[in-house]
Structure formats: C-alpha cells, structure tokens
Amino acid sequence: MALTQQDIDQEIAAERAAYEERVAGGAPVEHHPRRDYAPYRSSVLRHPQRPLVAVDTAQDPDMVELHSPAFGERDITGTDNDLTRHHRGDPLGERITVSGRLLDRSGRPVPRQLIEIWQANSAGRYAHQREQHDAPLDPNFTGFGRTLTDAEGRYHFTTIQPGPYPWRNHVNAWRPAHIHFSVFGTAFTQRLVTQMYFPGDPLLPYDPILQSVTDDAARQRLVAAYDHGLSVPEFSLGYHWDIVLDGPVATWTEEGR
Amino acid sequence: MTKTGTSSPGRPGQVLPTPSHTVGPFYGYALPFRGGEEIAPLGHLDTITVHGYVLDGAGRPLPDALVELWGPRPDGTVPRVDGSIRRDPATGGCLGRNGVEFTGWGRVQTDAGGHWYARTLRPGARGRGAPCLSVCVFARGLLVHLFTRIYLPGDEAALAADPLLTRVGDRRDTLIAAEQAPGTYRFDIRLQGEGETVFLEFR
Ligand SMILES: [Fe+3]
C-alpha cells in the first residue's frame, strides 16, 4: 500500500518521542538531524552505518580542514544577490528581502565569506531539467544567487517568495516554501548546507525534511522571522535569518582572519 | 530564536548552531560551476587526477552527489587565493578559474553514472599527518554532509605515521586512493555497507 501522510506523521512522532526519551535520559541536545532519519526515505541507503571517526582538531592545529577556501570580489558581480534582476523582465511573485548575519558558535561574525542560495520560483518550480513538477517555469527567474558577507558578517538577498512544491516521498507530500543555503566559514569544518523556512507556513509540521531536526528549538532556528524593518516600502517584504556555523575553528591567535 | 542576540566574544558554544539539511535534488543548476573540477593551474607539473564513484548502501552509484575537495599546495602551504568562481561583470556569467592561480578548492557533481573526477595539485604534508586532500560529500538523502580524506599511496612511512590512519585500523584502505597510472588515483566513496568509507567528525 502506498505510504500516506498519516504513516509519515506517525514515524515523525515516533522519532520525536525517541529523541525526547534520549534527552530525558541525559543524552545531549541534538542540533542536527540524524543521517538515518527514515521518514525522509531517500536517507535509507545514503547514510553511514559505522560511527563517524572523531578527529580532535586541537591535537593537530595544522590540519587543512581548519582553513577555509577564500572567495573575493571577482567571484561576485553586483546583481548576484538580487535574484529579481538576472533577466530582462521582472519575475512573477511576491518580492522579498532576506537578510541576517553569519556567525560562529562563539557569536563572532564571519566576514567576507561566500553564501549561495537557490530556490523554486513563485509557482514552486525549479529551473532544473529533471524537475518534473507541472507548474510554470518563469522565464525571468532562475532562482540562484550568491553574495559575500560584509565586515560584520551581514548578508542580504532580494528574491521572490518561493512556492511550496510536491515531491514523491509519500502520497501528497509537499515541501514547505524554503530557500536552500550553502555557506562557508573560517574553517572547512564549518561547511554548512541548509534550508530556510518561512514563519506561519501550514506545511511545516508535515515535512519530514524539516522534522528530521527533532529538537524543537533547533528546528525553530531554521524558520526566518518576518521583520517589518527589513521590508522595503513599495517594494518587498523583509525576513531576518541569522546563520550560526558549527564545527571547530582554529584558535584565534593563529594567522589570518 | 532566528535573531541571535548580541553576544560577548570569546565564550565558545554560546550561540546555538543552525541545523544542517540535505542539499536536495535540484542544486545542479546552482552550485556546480564551469571548471569546478579543474583545480590545478594549467600545465602544472604537480597535477594529479583523482576520480571515482559515489555509491549507496546497495552499491548503486549516485547520479546526484556533490563532491568538494580542499587541499594544500605541494609545499604544504594553504592557499588563501580567491577566484575559484570568477564572474564576468559584463554579462554576469561564469568565467571560472584563470588557469594560473591555485585556490585549492573545487566542486564537482557526479555524472549520470555516479562518477566524479578532479585535477588538482599533489598535496604537501602539513603538521603531523600524511599529505591528504579533504573531501566534503553532499547528496539528496544525506541530511548532513560527510567529511572524509583522500590519502595518496607511495610514501608508506608517512602513511604509517599518520594519526588518523593509525586509529582507523583495518578500515584505512578506504581512505587511501589507488594509483592507476602515474598521477592518476581512484577513490570511491561508499556511503554505506560493505567497505563503507571512513567518515570524519571534527571536534
Ligand atoms: Fe528545495
């Protein structure tokens, strides 16, 4: 029998109950999904079964992973962070501005690093050949942008509110509206790919990808805040979303940034 | 919670991290860039080719995995050179690398057969470890990316002294590429099951 939303809801609830039990038993808070989160069916054959091997970066401060690739002004053009200006015409949909800061676990800003985003158009369709969803492509919207954080770690994008879209995880599976983010830090160990969601989206509880973050507070950190101060008069609605990179970094006394 | 408060610097672990998510299936028009796999400057004598498959728990190749490589120069120093993804200010298009400078970083999507390749410079030794390239793997279905390393065969003394290779015991072969021809190395990434690649968690 085909897998229904109700089946997935039960699995999601069971995963959350198991997590809450672990924490009640003294286990640490889990900020990231478990890679073997079965309600997201694609994960079943794509996660390691052996435990990861811990590498203590303090034992070898020279390891290459404590450094990060560099990006600069020549990697970016002026309109790369304005996804509404990548074609001759204006894209369809509600214009939004998304802004926030890139920080490390200590709250220090990460300046001059690369943030890439990609997303569906306002109808919920990606500009990707293999995308099968029967929603219109927008000739004036590709849905890919990038920027460098400024000296205070701030980033800023102008784009279109993405639409929700169906997928084949189970019958009647819909992804909530989201923007994909790819982020670099001061160390390669901090590399992050994630997704930003929108507040009040009724699809959030049904989505096994978002719910793979079983910790309530951690999951909430993936939802942007509507910020009226970021809304641009006569132009766009504003959302604020800070990104905090995990993973060890080189000690601050070391060379460089 | 989405707006992190102001915080005093220097107290580690004070701000809670943004959770990771899968890269999904539709990053292919966004993240890969022209020349992402051609990391070595053109004609450089220390150029090596590394290539292989990304395989799932059933041994099937992944046609939608993304592999990032990051490594030092042959002398062991770490590049701080930008320009991996240079843009054309006139058209907004991608110019890619200039073929002269070495940024150390590359990104390659597996092809329809699950195969990837990259040409980069032979990494030099750093610190206590044997020379290696750092690898970060992303894929649909993979909720958190995976780190591993590519060690090159040849200097058996250096490999034998490497702290990580020593610790992983009989799984060390999953971290050492196989030399197929001078300067050409095969490195498969097995996400699960028989011969599962050693994946790393940096602390
Ligand atoms: Fe998506």
Side-chain angles (χ1 to χ4, degrees):
Chain A
M1 216 176 73
L3 202 62
T4 65
Q5 181 70 49
Q6 199 179 9
D7 298 327
I8 291 296
D9 289 346
Q10 283 170 6
E11 290 187 26
I12 288 172
E15 292 281 353
R16 285 183 66 174
Y19 169 64
E20 277 155 25
E21 204 171 305
R22 286 199 295 277
V23 172
V29 169
E30 296 174 20
H31 296 301
H32 298 284
R34 293 196 159 202
R35 293 184 184 85
D36 61 352
Y37 187 79
Y40 175 33
R41 284 295 188 266
S42 302
S43 72
V44 172
L45 287 171
R46 294 183 168 197
H47 69 270
Q49 290 164 328
R50 312 278 300 251
L52 302 198
V53 174
V55 176
D56 182 358
T57 53
Q59 293 292 312
D60 185 1
D62 292 320
M63 65 179 65
V64 72
E65 290 94 349
L66 283 173
H67 300 261
S68 192
F71 300 92
E73 296 300 332
R74 55 182 172 164
D75 294 316
I76 299 290
T77 58
T79 56
D80 276 356
N81 70 342
D82 185 347
L83 286 70
T84 68
R85 291 173 61 195
H86 292 181
H87 298 274
R88 266 165 217 273
D90 291 328
L92 293 170
E94 172 196 332
R95 275 187 301 257
I96 59 172
T97 44
V98 180
S99 187
R101 291 178 81 200
L102 180 62
L103 305 168
D104 70 11
R105 284 296 299 271
S106 302
R108 289 185 298 234
V110 179
R112 305 284 162 211
Q113 252 310 357
L114 180 70
I115 300 183
E116 297 161 285
I117 66 169
W118 70 104
Q119 61 166 95
N121 68 19
S122 60
R125 175 90 184 251
Y126 282 93
H128 188 291
Q129 292 278 2
R130 290 221 321 275
E131 156 80 289
Q132 301 285 307
H133 177 33
D134 180 24
L137 280 166
D138 184 341
N140 292 316
F141 191 74
T142 302
F144 169 48
R146 53 181 135 187
T147 194
L148 294 178
T149 55
D150 70 13
E152 279 82 48
R154 286 194 196 82
Y155 73 89
H156 188 92
F157 286 103
T158 301
T159 183
I160 292 291
Q161 167 73 42
Y165 59 84
W167 59 311
R168 305 269 167 85
N169 190 67
H170 53 276
V171 175
N172 209 16
W174 289 81
R175 294 297 327 279
H178 59 274
I179 299 177
H180 295 263
F181 275 70
S182 165
V183 187
F184 288 82
T186 53
F188 202 48
T189 58
Q190 293 177 299
R191 190 77 177 85
L192 176 71
V193 167
T194 188
Q195 300 175 25
M196 185 203 92
Y197 297 85
F198 292 87
D201 190 326
L203 292 170
L204 298 181
Y206 301 102
D207 178 37
I209 292 184
L210 175 58
Q211 298 299 324
S212 72
V213 183
T214 49
D215 184 77
D216 289 341
R219 200 168 56 251
Q220 202 53 43
R221 293 198 293 277
L222 290 175
V223 184
Y226 173 71
D227 187 335
H228 202 66
L230 286 174
S231 295
V232 180
E234 316 296 327
F235 185 76
S236 68
L237 292 184
Y239 290 91
H240 186 109
W241 192 54
D242 287 338
I243 305 167
V244 180
L245 299 176
D246 213 348
V249 293
T251 49
W252 204 234
T253 51
E254 255 199 307
E255 54 173 325
R257 36 187 193 198
Chain B
M1 284 304 291
T2 50
K3 232 179 190 174
T4 54
T6 49
S7 51
S8 48
R11 292 188 11 224
Q14 187 181 32
V15 186
L16 297 174
T18 304
S20 169
H21 257 10
T22 174
V23 75
F26 297 134
Y27 58 83
Y29 72 95
L31 295 183
F33 57 93
R34 192 211 297 175
E37 65 284 336
E38 299 288 348
I39 309 167
L42 289 172
H44 198 294
L45 292 177
D46 283 321
T47 299
I48 59 170
T49 301
V50 286
H51 76 107
Y53 291 85
V54 182
L55 303 159
D56 72 10
R60 282 187 307 245
L62 272 64
D64 51 9
L66 189 73
V67 176
E68 288 187 353
L69 296 176
W70 168 234
R73 297 188 185 93
D75 67 3
T77 58
V78 178
R80 290 179 168 279
V81 179
D82 60 33
S84 297
I85 55 172
R86 290 181 317 135
R87 305 285 273 179
D88 181 342
T91 66
C94 181
L95 291 171
R97 301 171 204 278
N98 61 15
V100 179
E101 293 165 289
F102 179 65
T103 69
W105 175 78
R107 176 187 279 169
V108 53
Q109 190 176 12
T110 52
D111 65 19
H115 184 257
W116 62 276
Y117 80 91
R119 273 183 271 279
T120 189
L121 296 185
R122 182 182 297 278
R126 290 183 57 75
R128 298 170 54 212
C132 64
L133 297 168
S134 185
V135 181
C136 189
V137 186
F138 303 89
R140 173 179 66 84
L142 190 53
L143 284 160
V144 186
H145 57 261
L146 287 166
F147 286 109
T148 186
R149 283 178 177 173
I150 303 175
Y151 289 88
L152 301 176
D155 187 345
E156 294 311 314
L159 294 174
D162 185 87
L164 174 64
L165 291 176
T166 306
R167 275 175 50 220
V168 299
D170 60 0
R171 299 181 68 202
R172 78 196 280 273
D173 287 350
T174 72
L175 296 177
I176 304 174
E179 185 164 20
Q180 296 185 306
T184 299
Y185 300 93
R186 167 87 178 259
F187 187 83
D188 291 338
I189 299 166
R190 290 186 171 79
L191 297 181
Q192 188 183 92
E194 182 81 28
E196 186 176 296
T197 301
V198 168
F199 296 107
L200 308 175
E201 181 176 44
F202 294 100
R203 289 180 181 164

